[in-house]
Amino acid sequence: MAKKIGIFICGCQGLVSDVINFTRLEEELAKLKKSVGARQLHPWLCGDDGRDLIRNDILLKGLDCVILAGCPYGVNDGLFSSLAAETGLPEEMVLRVDIREGCAFPHRGNLDGALRKAVNLIRMWTARARLTDPHIPVTLPGNREVAVVGGGLAGLTAALDIAEAGINVTLIEREAYLGGNVVRLNKIFPRMCDARCGLTYLYQKIRETGKVRLMTLSEVTRLEGSAGRYEVTVVTTPRYVREGLCNGCGKCVDVCPVETADSYNFNIGRNKAARSPYPLDPEGTYLIERKHCPDGCDACKRACPAGAIDFSRQPEEKRIKFGSAVVATGWSSYPAERIERFGYGVLPGVITNMQMERMTAEDGPTGGEIICPGSGSEARSIVFIQCAGSRDVWHQGWCSSVCCTASIKQALYIKEKNHKNRVYILYNDIRTPGEYEDLYVRAQRAGVVFIRTNPSEVRAESSGVLKITAEDTLAARIFQIDADLVVLAVGITPNGSGIIRQHGRSLEYLDRYGLISAGGFYAGHKQCFPLESVDQGIYFAGCCTEPMDMGNTVKSSLAAAGRVLKTGGNTVYVSPLVAAVDRSECDKCKRCVEECPYGVFYLDNQGFPVPNELYCRGCHICMGSCPRQCIVPQGFGIKQQVAMIGGKIKETAPGEPVVIAFMCENDAYPVVQEAGRRGIDFPANIHIISVRCAGSVNMVLIKDGISIGVDGFILAGCRSDECHYITGSDRAEERLGNIRETLRDMRMDQERVKFLRIRLGEVDYFAREAKSFVDRLRLIGPNPFKSAVIV
Amino acid sequence: MPPKVDPTKCDGCQGEKEPLCEQVCPGNLMTMHKESLKAIIREPGDCWDCMTCTKACPRQAIQTVLQYQLAYFPGKLIPMVGTNSVTWTSIDCNGKVERFVMKTLVSGDDEDED
């Protein structure tokens, strides 16, 4: 409750004062008395004497809230917040009324209207200021440590960056080795360097920092807590070989009777249940994959001269506490056997691009020889089928963005090995963005044949040769190619996808406790919060949210590490914008619980909804939903909004309709400012209040306004798929629809309320709609409640 | 005459066990229909037209039809609840519309001017 408000009006060196008559404005504002401690009109508040005026008034008159009428938020913010800091006034007690972009600029042709509107706006903001309180800061104890889930390229990059900043990191990896998919690649584009070179460097640097605890063969089974105070349960499978005792003789592998498909090499070749260490294995000792062991077999135990094998070990469950996390669970290849027409899994000569990668690797199962897995003979004619299972309504709808370049890279391996080999790439569209185009050109020069087609089937001849039937869509003819080896360029399936599922909207992310084990990741708004998960303090890096190349993976990991450094700390600051429930008013109807797009509400033991402050994004959609208006966030909430509506808005000219517009601060309100800056005229009747989200507007505001005689309302939000808070603008439209029906029942014109969906830049659209709305209101006539009997 | 719930607007308070109208009804007459999950009135004859449910409904799904002694169809009484006031629109049997504003709370002396 501000007791002494200072109102400062800036002429902006004529930009405002040429339109708004300051003498008359002063007369009008002289009527504002209650809790107003100072009223100053100044030609230029940004200037030295203007700022001195504000500073002196704050200090000498003891103002506890300042209204600056002039430019809007976002202009000269630093200037005025530093002024507040100098005088000891909290930043949130400096309110800005937009009478420049929102009033003087667009209403140059309507001087009287502009003056009346400026008076109305200042009165509204004074009413708001009276109810504005300084924020009460809320802090919670936090934990500085970080967990990184996934030890692939993304996880290692993020872990190193965080560890180098001096923070302890726990890196949790499901496999026995680090490096994920990248360690199994032969070479990486565009420089064609060895994939393991960079990973080994990363790994060594991580070891040098001494800050990273590496947990391999470990899986996250449960996640609890909230930002700053997370706790995960990690189950570690034992290696069954005691580290330190194993001397690496390899006798256990020799005697092991079981042969299994080698999952490290994507099932090309075989390996045994007892295994020699993988490259980039932090323990570096042998391990036994118990799940493949036959019952009662202890051949390796008997063979081991060091007595290092111990079958009595049990999976270990550990609980790890940390403050923030980077989730980098990476990707898997799309299961190629689902694309039945290409015969993967049936025809031995059909392999995937990752198998091809292992086959060409020097340390791979074939020692770098490109052979047909069925016959073992050297492959002479190799066909790549692009978009296998990608960009396909029956399989994955998206483009994985790397497979074109990857196939070109593999074609170049083959050509470099033996330029007489025939290589065909059957593609839908070659997508080699940026510098990858060079590789495309190199492949063309090297004699790789590119054919634009979507093959219909792969069939095996009796001689063992594979026959591919397809239509060349450029030449419009059917053709057949004989091949020794067919490589399916299958796309990337994020481990824990969900974001790219259909339209990128999946409500599974609300299942926060199943988040890491079950998948369903939802990275936030792609441009604004690209790495954020639903939970604050948990960030995504790499391919677990969407397919990307290695360059982008590293970039996203560094970005996630940066976010972690910013948010992690021993103290967690709670945003003042978070929802808060007034329990004296709440009747536990739980509408807020249902309507919150992030599911932040839980019920306490008395049945009251309580928002989890650390998950709340401050969208205030719950405030809009509450039928008892008892959700009262700090700062600008429903109480202030009600006061603003009741701030006695007067007609801008006799008989003119009064319109109040609630505008989403992300898209709609910037459009109005843009209109003002461009000097695009819209009716002066419209008084604009910017809100967090269109969904934060409680319908009681509109009901209040109608009862006191406001003629029309505009509610402007984003397009349905562009709403920053997922469901906000849709909720707003739905609620407004109900109001319209009530108005119809009340024999009032439904067109008094209007919902606009505005996208950034749609200035003309806004001006046109605003004008037609006001014209329509003039036609409908005044609000009948203006002449209602007041009981 | 009892309240009439518009099933297209009622969302059963989002599947709550006890919708708002059920919570507020002083006669405990409103309940949730088990199958449709919409609010219904179980004893229409017992309703005494207090209109509490009509005012409380967050989706404006409930309408009270006036008693036939007062007005035949299309007579209606429609409340709209604001923060500090309730507005009433009364439509009598001849279609004549009257409007009233009732201040419900002492809304503080928000007068600026004197």
Short mmCIF file of all heavy atoms in Angstrom, two decimals, chain A residues 31 33-34 123 130 587 589-591 594-595 642 648 703-704 707 734 741-742 745-748 784-785 789-791, chain B residues 9 11 13-14 16 20 23 58-60 63 78 80-83 85 87 89 91 99-101 109 111-114:
data_model
loop_
_atom_site.label_atom_id
_atom_site.label_comp_id
_atom_site.label_asym_id
_atom_site.label_seq_id
_atom_site.Cartn_x
_atom_site.Cartn_y
_atom_site.Cartn_z
N LYS A 31 -6.84 17.31 -9.44
CA LYS A 31 -7.97 16.70 -8.71
C LYS A 31 -7.56 15.41 -8.01
O LYS A 31 -8.25 14.95 -7.12
CB LYS A 31 -9.10 16.40 -9.70
CG LYS A 31 -9.74 17.64 -10.28
CD LYS A 31 -10.81 17.24 -11.27
CE LYS A 31 -11.20 18.40 -12.17
NZ LYS A 31 -11.83 17.92 -13.40
N LYS A 33 -5.91 13.56 -5.44
CA LYS A 33 -5.32 13.99 -4.18
C LYS A 33 -4.94 12.85 -3.27
O LYS A 33 -3.89 12.86 -2.65
CB LYS A 33 -6.31 14.91 -3.45
CG LYS A 33 -6.45 16.25 -4.15
CD LYS A 33 -6.75 17.35 -3.19
CE LYS A 33 -6.75 18.69 -3.91
NZ LYS A 33 -8.09 19.20 -4.13
N LYS A 34 -5.82 11.81 -3.23
CA LYS A 34 -5.63 10.78 -2.22
C LYS A 34 -4.28 10.09 -2.38
O LYS A 34 -3.96 9.58 -3.45
CB LYS A 34 -6.76 9.76 -2.33
CG LYS A 34 -6.85 8.88 -1.11
CD LYS A 34 -7.87 7.79 -1.34
CE LYS A 34 -7.48 6.60 -0.50
NZ LYS A 34 -7.94 5.38 -1.08
N ARG A 123 -4.73 8.17 -13.98
CA ARG A 123 -5.64 7.83 -12.87
C ARG A 123 -5.64 6.33 -12.61
O ARG A 123 -5.61 5.88 -11.47
CB ARG A 123 -7.05 8.28 -13.21
CG ARG A 123 -7.23 9.77 -13.21
CD ARG A 123 -8.55 10.12 -13.87
NE ARG A 123 -9.64 9.66 -13.02
CZ ARG A 123 -10.27 10.45 -12.16
NH1 ARG A 123 -9.92 11.70 -12.05
NH2 ARG A 123 -11.25 9.99 -11.42
N ARG A 130 -1.56 2.78 -5.51
CA ARG A 130 -2.03 2.79 -4.11
C ARG A 130 -2.00 1.38 -3.53
O ARG A 130 -1.87 1.21 -2.33
CB ARG A 130 -3.46 3.32 -4.06
CG ARG A 130 -3.52 4.81 -4.25
CD ARG A 130 -4.90 5.34 -3.91
NE ARG A 130 -5.00 6.68 -4.42
CZ ARG A 130 -5.88 7.06 -5.34
NH1 ARG A 130 -6.75 6.21 -5.82
NH2 ARG A 130 -5.87 8.30 -5.76
N ASP A 587 -11.75 -21.52 -1.60
CA ASP A 587 -12.69 -22.54 -1.15
C ASP A 587 -12.37 -23.90 -1.76
O ASP A 587 -13.23 -24.74 -1.90
CB ASP A 587 -14.13 -22.13 -1.44
CG ASP A 587 -14.41 -22.04 -2.92
OD1 ASP A 587 -13.46 -22.20 -3.70
OD2 ASP A 587 -15.56 -21.84 -3.30
N CYS A 589 -11.71 -25.08 -4.69
CA CYS A 589 -12.41 -25.62 -5.86
C CYS A 589 -11.44 -26.30 -6.81
O CYS A 589 -11.84 -27.06 -7.67
CB CYS A 589 -13.17 -24.52 -6.58
SG CYS A 589 -12.15 -23.45 -7.61
N LYS A 590 -10.16 -26.03 -6.71
CA LYS A 590 -9.09 -26.69 -7.47
C LYS A 590 -9.08 -26.36 -8.95
O LYS A 590 -8.49 -27.05 -9.77
CB LYS A 590 -9.12 -28.20 -7.29
CG LYS A 590 -9.02 -28.61 -5.84
CD LYS A 590 -9.06 -30.10 -5.71
CE LYS A 590 -9.37 -30.53 -4.29
NZ LYS A 590 -10.76 -30.27 -3.91
N ARG A 591 -9.78 -25.29 -9.34
CA ARG A 591 -9.75 -24.90 -10.75
C ARG A 591 -8.33 -24.51 -11.18
O ARG A 591 -7.90 -24.79 -12.28
CB ARG A 591 -10.71 -23.75 -10.99
CG ARG A 591 -11.00 -23.47 -12.41
CD ARG A 591 -12.29 -22.73 -12.57
NE ARG A 591 -13.41 -23.66 -12.53
CZ ARG A 591 -13.91 -24.24 -13.61
NH1 ARG A 591 -13.41 -23.99 -14.79
NH2 ARG A 591 -14.91 -25.07 -13.52
N GLU A 594 -6.33 -27.48 -12.11
CA GLU A 594 -6.67 -28.02 -13.42
C GLU A 594 -6.14 -27.15 -14.56
O GLU A 594 -5.77 -27.65 -15.60
CB GLU A 594 -8.19 -28.14 -13.57
CG GLU A 594 -8.83 -29.09 -12.58
CD GLU A 594 -8.45 -30.53 -12.83
OE1 GLU A 594 -8.09 -30.85 -13.98
OE2 GLU A 594 -8.49 -31.32 -11.88
N GLU A 595 -6.16 -25.85 -14.35
CA GLU A 595 -5.86 -24.98 -15.48
C GLU A 595 -4.39 -24.62 -15.61
O GLU A 595 -3.97 -24.11 -16.64
CB GLU A 595 -6.73 -23.71 -15.42
CG GLU A 595 -8.20 -24.06 -15.51
CD GLU A 595 -9.06 -22.98 -16.14
OE1 GLU A 595 -8.54 -21.90 -16.43
OE2 GLU A 595 -10.25 -23.25 -16.32
N VAL A 642 -8.22 -4.85 -10.61
CA VAL A 642 -9.58 -4.42 -10.26
C VAL A 642 -9.59 -2.94 -9.95
O VAL A 642 -10.46 -2.20 -10.38
CB VAL A 642 -10.10 -5.27 -9.07
CG1 VAL A 642 -11.33 -4.63 -8.46
CG2 VAL A 642 -10.39 -6.68 -9.50
N LYS A 648 -12.23 4.87 -12.45
CA LYS A 648 -13.06 5.92 -13.05
C LYS A 648 -12.49 6.41 -14.38
O LYS A 648 -11.91 7.48 -14.48
CB LYS A 648 -13.22 7.09 -12.09
CG LYS A 648 -13.94 6.73 -10.82
CD LYS A 648 -14.97 7.79 -10.51
CE LYS A 648 -15.70 7.46 -9.24
NZ LYS A 648 -14.85 7.49 -8.07
N LYS A 703 -16.51 -8.32 -15.93
CA LYS A 703 -17.82 -8.14 -15.28
C LYS A 703 -17.84 -6.83 -14.50
O LYS A 703 -18.82 -6.09 -14.55
CB LYS A 703 -18.09 -9.32 -14.35
CG LYS A 703 -18.23 -10.63 -15.08
CD LYS A 703 -18.34 -11.75 -14.07
CE LYS A 703 -18.38 -13.09 -14.74
NZ LYS A 703 -18.36 -14.17 -13.75
N ASP A 704 -16.75 -6.57 -13.77
CA ASP A 704 -16.65 -5.30 -13.04
C ASP A 704 -16.79 -4.12 -13.98
O ASP A 704 -17.54 -3.19 -13.72
CB ASP A 704 -15.27 -5.20 -12.38
CG ASP A 704 -15.30 -5.68 -10.95
OD1 ASP A 704 -16.34 -6.23 -10.55
OD2 ASP A 704 -14.29 -5.51 -10.26
N SER A 707 -20.23 -3.60 -15.18
CA SER A 707 -21.15 -3.07 -14.18
C SER A 707 -20.91 -1.59 -13.91
O SER A 707 -21.81 -0.89 -13.49
CB SER A 707 -21.06 -3.87 -12.89
OG SER A 707 -19.87 -3.54 -12.21
N GLU A 734 -11.65 -19.15 -24.55
CA GLU A 734 -12.75 -19.96 -24.07
C GLU A 734 -13.56 -19.21 -23.01
O GLU A 734 -14.79 -19.16 -23.05
CB GLU A 734 -12.13 -21.23 -23.48
CG GLU A 734 -13.08 -22.33 -23.12
CD GLU A 734 -12.35 -23.42 -22.35
OE1 GLU A 734 -11.12 -23.58 -22.55
OE2 GLU A 734 -13.01 -24.09 -21.55
N GLU A 741 -21.70 -15.30 -24.09
CA GLU A 741 -23.02 -15.92 -24.00
C GLU A 741 -23.83 -15.33 -22.86
O GLU A 741 -25.04 -15.14 -22.97
CB GLU A 741 -22.87 -17.43 -23.83
CG GLU A 741 -22.46 -18.05 -25.14
CD GLU A 741 -22.45 -19.56 -25.08
OE1 GLU A 741 -23.28 -20.14 -24.36
OE2 GLU A 741 -21.59 -20.15 -25.76
N THR A 742 -23.15 -15.01 -21.74
CA THR A 742 -23.85 -14.36 -20.64
C THR A 742 -24.38 -13.01 -21.10
O THR A 742 -25.52 -12.65 -20.81
CB THR A 742 -22.91 -14.16 -19.44
OG1 THR A 742 -22.24 -15.38 -19.22
CG2 THR A 742 -23.65 -13.74 -18.21
N ASP A 745 -27.48 -13.51 -23.02
CA ASP A 745 -28.62 -13.78 -22.15
C ASP A 745 -29.11 -12.50 -21.49
O ASP A 745 -30.29 -12.34 -21.22
CB ASP A 745 -28.23 -14.78 -21.07
CG ASP A 745 -27.96 -16.15 -21.66
OD1 ASP A 745 -28.39 -16.37 -22.82
OD2 ASP A 745 -27.32 -16.96 -20.99
N MET A 746 -28.17 -11.60 -21.20
CA MET A 746 -28.52 -10.36 -20.53
C MET A 746 -29.05 -9.32 -21.49
O MET A 746 -29.19 -8.15 -21.13
CB MET A 746 -27.29 -9.80 -19.81
CG MET A 746 -26.88 -10.59 -18.59
SD MET A 746 -25.22 -10.20 -18.07
CE MET A 746 -25.42 -8.52 -17.52
N ARG A 747 -29.29 -9.72 -22.72
CA ARG A 747 -29.79 -8.80 -23.75
C ARG A 747 -28.79 -7.66 -23.98
O ARG A 747 -29.17 -6.51 -24.09
CB ARG A 747 -31.15 -8.21 -23.38
CG ARG A 747 -32.25 -9.20 -23.18
CD ARG A 747 -32.75 -9.73 -24.52
NE ARG A 747 -34.04 -10.37 -24.36
CZ ARG A 747 -34.21 -11.63 -23.96
NH1 ARG A 747 -33.16 -12.38 -23.68
NH2 ARG A 747 -35.42 -12.14 -23.83
N MET A 748 -27.54 -8.02 -23.96
CA MET A 748 -26.53 -7.01 -24.30
C MET A 748 -25.82 -7.50 -25.55
O MET A 748 -25.84 -8.69 -25.86
CB MET A 748 -25.53 -6.84 -23.16
CG MET A 748 -26.06 -5.96 -22.06
SD MET A 748 -24.94 -5.88 -20.68
CE MET A 748 -23.61 -4.89 -21.33
N PRO A 784 -25.64 -0.39 -21.31
CA PRO A 784 -26.91 -0.10 -20.62
C PRO A 784 -26.76 0.05 -19.11
O PRO A 784 -27.60 0.66 -18.48
CB PRO A 784 -27.79 -1.30 -20.97
CG PRO A 784 -26.88 -2.33 -21.51
CD PRO A 784 -25.71 -1.62 -22.08
N PHE A 785 -25.67 -0.50 -18.56
CA PHE A 785 -25.51 -0.37 -17.11
C PHE A 785 -25.12 1.04 -16.69
O PHE A 785 -25.09 1.35 -15.51
CB PHE A 785 -24.50 -1.40 -16.59
CG PHE A 785 -25.11 -2.74 -16.43
CD1 PHE A 785 -24.94 -3.71 -17.40
CD2 PHE A 785 -25.90 -3.02 -15.33
CE1 PHE A 785 -25.52 -4.96 -17.24
CE2 PHE A 785 -26.49 -4.26 -15.19
CZ PHE A 785 -26.31 -5.23 -16.14
N VAL A 789 -30.18 1.08 -12.39
CA VAL A 789 -30.54 1.52 -11.05
C VAL A 789 -29.47 1.01 -10.09
O VAL A 789 -29.12 -0.18 -10.12
CB VAL A 789 -31.90 0.92 -10.66
CG1 VAL A 789 -32.34 1.45 -9.30
CG2 VAL A 789 -32.92 1.22 -11.73
N ILE A 790 -28.92 1.89 -9.28
CA ILE A 790 -27.91 1.44 -8.33
C ILE A 790 -28.59 1.22 -6.99
O ILE A 790 -29.20 2.14 -6.44
CB ILE A 790 -26.74 2.44 -8.23
CG1 ILE A 790 -26.04 2.45 -9.58
CG2 ILE A 790 -25.79 2.04 -7.11
CD1 ILE A 790 -24.93 3.42 -9.69
N VAL A 791 -28.55 -0.04 -6.53
CA VAL A 791 -29.27 -0.37 -5.31
C VAL A 791 -28.31 -0.28 -4.12
O VAL A 791 -27.22 -0.80 -4.21
CB VAL A 791 -29.84 -1.80 -5.40
CG1 VAL A 791 -30.81 -2.04 -4.25
CG2 VAL A 791 -30.53 -1.98 -6.72
N LYS B 9 -21.96 -25.92 -21.45
CA LYS B 9 -21.01 -25.01 -20.80
C LYS B 9 -20.43 -25.62 -19.54
O LYS B 9 -19.28 -25.37 -19.19
CB LYS B 9 -21.72 -23.70 -20.44
CG LYS B 9 -21.93 -22.78 -21.62
CD LYS B 9 -22.14 -21.38 -21.11
CE LYS B 9 -23.24 -20.68 -21.85
NZ LYS B 9 -23.60 -19.42 -21.19
N ASP B 11 -18.54 -27.80 -17.09
CA ASP B 11 -17.47 -28.79 -17.24
C ASP B 11 -17.30 -29.56 -15.95
O ASP B 11 -16.24 -30.11 -15.69
CB ASP B 11 -16.16 -28.12 -17.68
CG ASP B 11 -15.63 -27.15 -16.65
OD1 ASP B 11 -16.33 -26.90 -15.66
OD2 ASP B 11 -14.51 -26.65 -16.84
N CYS B 13 -16.81 -28.60 -13.15
CA CYS B 13 -15.62 -28.06 -12.48
C CYS B 13 -14.43 -28.98 -12.72
O CYS B 13 -13.74 -29.39 -11.78
CB CYS B 13 -15.89 -27.76 -11.01
SG CYS B 13 -16.81 -26.24 -10.84
N GLN B 14 -14.20 -29.32 -13.95
CA GLN B 14 -13.04 -30.09 -14.38
C GLN B 14 -12.94 -31.42 -13.67
O GLN B 14 -11.87 -31.81 -13.22
CB GLN B 14 -11.74 -29.28 -14.18
CG GLN B 14 -11.82 -27.91 -14.71
CD GLN B 14 -11.06 -27.76 -16.00
OE1 GLN B 14 -10.54 -28.72 -16.55
NE2 GLN B 14 -11.00 -26.56 -16.50
N GLU B 16 -14.06 -32.32 -10.80
CA GLU B 16 -13.88 -32.30 -9.35
C GLU B 16 -14.92 -33.21 -8.70
O GLU B 16 -16.00 -33.44 -9.25
CB GLU B 16 -14.09 -30.87 -8.84
CG GLU B 16 -12.82 -30.14 -8.55
CD GLU B 16 -11.89 -30.97 -7.73
OE1 GLU B 16 -12.30 -31.44 -6.66
OE2 GLU B 16 -10.74 -31.16 -8.16
N LEU B 20 -18.42 -26.50 -7.79
CA LEU B 20 -18.66 -25.29 -6.98
C LEU B 20 -20.12 -25.14 -6.60
O LEU B 20 -20.44 -24.78 -5.48
CB LEU B 20 -18.22 -24.06 -7.76
CG LEU B 20 -16.80 -23.59 -7.55
CD1 LEU B 20 -16.55 -22.36 -8.39
CD2 LEU B 20 -16.58 -23.24 -6.09
N GLN B 23 -20.95 -27.11 -3.72
CA GLN B 23 -20.39 -26.58 -2.47
C GLN B 23 -21.22 -25.43 -1.92
O GLN B 23 -21.36 -25.28 -0.72
CB GLN B 23 -18.96 -26.08 -2.70
CG GLN B 23 -17.98 -27.18 -2.97
CD GLN B 23 -16.59 -26.60 -3.22
OE1 GLN B 23 -16.25 -25.56 -2.72
NE2 GLN B 23 -15.80 -27.31 -4.00
N PRO B 58 -18.37 -20.70 -12.28
CA PRO B 58 -17.27 -20.00 -12.96
C PRO B 58 -17.40 -20.04 -14.47
O PRO B 58 -16.67 -19.34 -15.17
CB PRO B 58 -16.03 -20.76 -12.49
CG PRO B 58 -16.51 -22.10 -12.10
CD PRO B 58 -17.92 -21.95 -11.66
N ARG B 59 -18.31 -20.86 -14.99
CA ARG B 59 -18.44 -20.95 -16.45
C ARG B 59 -19.76 -20.34 -16.92
O ARG B 59 -20.13 -20.50 -18.08
CB ARG B 59 -18.38 -22.40 -16.91
CG ARG B 59 -17.26 -23.18 -16.31
CD ARG B 59 -16.17 -23.50 -17.22
NE ARG B 59 -16.60 -24.00 -18.51
CZ ARG B 59 -15.79 -24.12 -19.53
NH1 ARG B 59 -14.53 -23.77 -19.41
NH2 ARG B 59 -16.21 -24.56 -20.68
N GLN B 60 -20.47 -19.70 -16.03
CA GLN B 60 -21.77 -19.12 -16.37
C GLN B 60 -22.68 -20.14 -17.04
O GLN B 60 -23.34 -19.86 -18.04
CB GLN B 60 -21.61 -17.89 -17.28
CG GLN B 60 -21.10 -16.66 -16.56
CD GLN B 60 -19.59 -16.60 -16.62
OE1 GLN B 60 -18.99 -16.82 -17.65
NE2 GLN B 60 -18.96 -16.31 -15.50
N GLN B 63 -28.50 -21.12 -15.16
CA GLN B 63 -29.43 -20.03 -15.38
C GLN B 63 -30.63 -20.27 -14.48
O GLN B 63 -31.04 -21.42 -14.29
CB GLN B 63 -29.88 -20.08 -16.84
CG GLN B 63 -30.22 -18.74 -17.39
CD GLN B 63 -30.72 -18.89 -18.79
OE1 GLN B 63 -31.75 -19.51 -18.99
NE2 GLN B 63 -29.99 -18.33 -19.74
N ILE B 78 -30.84 -12.54 -14.38
CA ILE B 78 -29.46 -12.96 -14.63
C ILE B 78 -28.51 -12.14 -13.77
O ILE B 78 -28.42 -10.92 -13.92
CB ILE B 78 -29.11 -12.80 -16.11
CG1 ILE B 78 -30.10 -13.61 -16.95
CG2 ILE B 78 -27.69 -13.23 -16.39
CD1 ILE B 78 -30.25 -13.08 -18.33
N MET B 80 -24.66 -11.12 -12.49
CA MET B 80 -23.27 -11.17 -12.93
C MET B 80 -22.44 -10.62 -11.78
O MET B 80 -22.65 -9.50 -11.33
CB MET B 80 -23.06 -10.34 -14.19
CG MET B 80 -21.72 -10.60 -14.83
SD MET B 80 -21.56 -9.75 -16.40
CE MET B 80 -21.56 -8.07 -15.84
N VAL B 81 -21.53 -11.44 -11.28
CA VAL B 81 -20.84 -11.10 -10.03
C VAL B 81 -19.49 -10.49 -10.32
O VAL B 81 -18.63 -11.12 -10.94
CB VAL B 81 -20.67 -12.35 -9.15
CG1 VAL B 81 -20.10 -11.97 -7.81
CG2 VAL B 81 -22.00 -13.05 -8.99
N GLY B 82 -19.31 -9.26 -9.90
CA GLY B 82 -18.00 -8.64 -10.00
C GLY B 82 -17.31 -8.72 -8.65
O GLY B 82 -17.73 -9.48 -7.77
N THR B 83 -16.25 -7.95 -8.46
CA THR B 83 -15.56 -8.02 -7.18
C THR B 83 -16.31 -7.25 -6.12
O THR B 83 -16.44 -7.71 -4.98
CB THR B 83 -14.14 -7.45 -7.27
OG1 THR B 83 -14.20 -6.25 -8.02
CG2 THR B 83 -13.20 -8.42 -7.91
N SER B 85 -19.42 -5.70 -6.75
CA SER B 85 -20.81 -5.44 -7.09
C SER B 85 -21.41 -6.66 -7.77
O SER B 85 -20.70 -7.51 -8.28
CB SER B 85 -20.91 -4.23 -8.02
OG SER B 85 -20.22 -4.53 -9.21
N THR B 87 -24.37 -7.26 -10.69
CA THR B 87 -25.34 -6.62 -11.56
C THR B 87 -26.45 -7.61 -11.84
O THR B 87 -26.21 -8.81 -11.96
CB THR B 87 -24.72 -6.19 -12.90
OG1 THR B 87 -24.31 -7.36 -13.57
CG2 THR B 87 -23.56 -5.26 -12.71
N THR B 89 -29.79 -8.40 -14.32
CA THR B 89 -30.57 -8.09 -15.49
C THR B 89 -31.88 -8.85 -15.35
O THR B 89 -31.86 -10.08 -15.26
CB THR B 89 -29.84 -8.52 -16.76
OG1 THR B 89 -28.56 -7.92 -16.76
CG2 THR B 89 -30.58 -8.11 -18.00
N ILE B 91 -35.50 -9.75 -16.96
CA ILE B 91 -36.25 -9.71 -18.20
C ILE B 91 -37.64 -10.26 -17.87
O ILE B 91 -37.77 -11.41 -17.44
CB ILE B 91 -35.57 -10.57 -19.28
CG1 ILE B 91 -34.15 -10.05 -19.50
CG2 ILE B 91 -36.36 -10.53 -20.57
CD1 ILE B 91 -33.27 -10.99 -20.26
N ARG B 99 -32.21 -3.17 -15.44
CA ARG B 99 -30.87 -3.50 -14.95
C ARG B 99 -30.62 -2.84 -13.60
O ARG B 99 -31.02 -1.70 -13.38
CB ARG B 99 -29.82 -3.04 -15.95
CG ARG B 99 -29.96 -3.74 -17.29
CD ARG B 99 -28.90 -3.34 -18.26
NE ARG B 99 -29.30 -3.71 -19.62
CZ ARG B 99 -29.06 -4.90 -20.17
NH1 ARG B 99 -28.43 -5.81 -19.50
NH2 ARG B 99 -29.45 -5.16 -21.40
N PHE B 100 -29.96 -3.57 -12.73
CA PHE B 100 -29.65 -3.06 -11.40
C PHE B 100 -28.20 -3.35 -11.07
O PHE B 100 -27.64 -4.35 -11.51
CB PHE B 100 -30.51 -3.77 -10.34
CG PHE B 100 -31.97 -3.68 -10.61
CD1 PHE B 100 -32.61 -4.68 -11.34
CD2 PHE B 100 -32.72 -2.61 -10.16
CE1 PHE B 100 -33.96 -4.61 -11.61
CE2 PHE B 100 -34.08 -2.54 -10.42
CZ PHE B 100 -34.70 -3.53 -11.15
N VAL B 101 -27.61 -2.46 -10.32
CA VAL B 101 -26.25 -2.71 -9.83
C VAL B 101 -26.32 -2.69 -8.32
O VAL B 101 -26.85 -1.74 -7.73
CB VAL B 101 -25.26 -1.65 -10.33
CG1 VAL B 101 -23.87 -1.91 -9.76
CG2 VAL B 101 -25.21 -1.62 -11.83
N ASP B 109 -13.02 3.92 0.20
CA ASP B 109 -13.37 5.19 -0.42
C ASP B 109 -12.37 5.46 -1.54
O ASP B 109 -11.29 5.98 -1.33
CB ASP B 109 -13.39 6.32 0.61
CG ASP B 109 -12.18 6.29 1.51
OD1 ASP B 109 -11.49 5.25 1.54
OD2 ASP B 109 -11.89 7.30 2.15
N GLU B 111 -12.67 7.40 -3.89
CA GLU B 111 -12.88 8.69 -4.53
C GLU B 111 -11.55 9.45 -4.55
O GLU B 111 -10.90 9.58 -3.54
CB GLU B 111 -13.91 9.51 -3.74
CG GLU B 111 -15.22 8.78 -3.50
CD GLU B 111 -15.95 8.51 -4.79
OE1 GLU B 111 -16.03 9.43 -5.62
OE2 GLU B 111 -16.42 7.37 -4.99
N ASP B 112 -11.20 9.92 -5.71
CA ASP B 112 -9.97 10.71 -5.79
C ASP B 112 -10.28 12.17 -5.55
O ASP B 112 -9.52 12.90 -4.97
CB ASP B 112 -9.35 10.66 -7.18
CG ASP B 112 -9.30 9.27 -7.70
OD1 ASP B 112 -8.98 8.37 -6.92
OD2 ASP B 112 -9.58 9.10 -8.90
N GLU B 113 -11.41 12.55 -6.10
CA GLU B 113 -11.64 14.00 -6.20
C GLU B 113 -12.54 14.48 -5.08
O GLU B 113 -13.28 13.72 -4.50
CB GLU B 113 -12.34 14.30 -7.53
CG GLU B 113 -11.54 13.92 -8.70
CD GLU B 113 -12.36 13.17 -9.73
OE1 GLU B 113 -13.16 13.80 -10.37
OE2 GLU B 113 -12.17 11.97 -9.85
N ASP B 114 -12.45 15.75 -4.85
CA ASP B 114 -13.39 16.30 -3.90
C ASP B 114 -13.98 17.57 -4.45
O ASP B 114 -13.69 17.97 -5.56
CB ASP B 114 -12.73 16.56 -2.54
CG ASP B 114 -11.25 16.82 -2.65
OD1 ASP B 114 -10.76 16.95 -3.80
OD2 ASP B 114 -10.57 16.88 -1.64
#
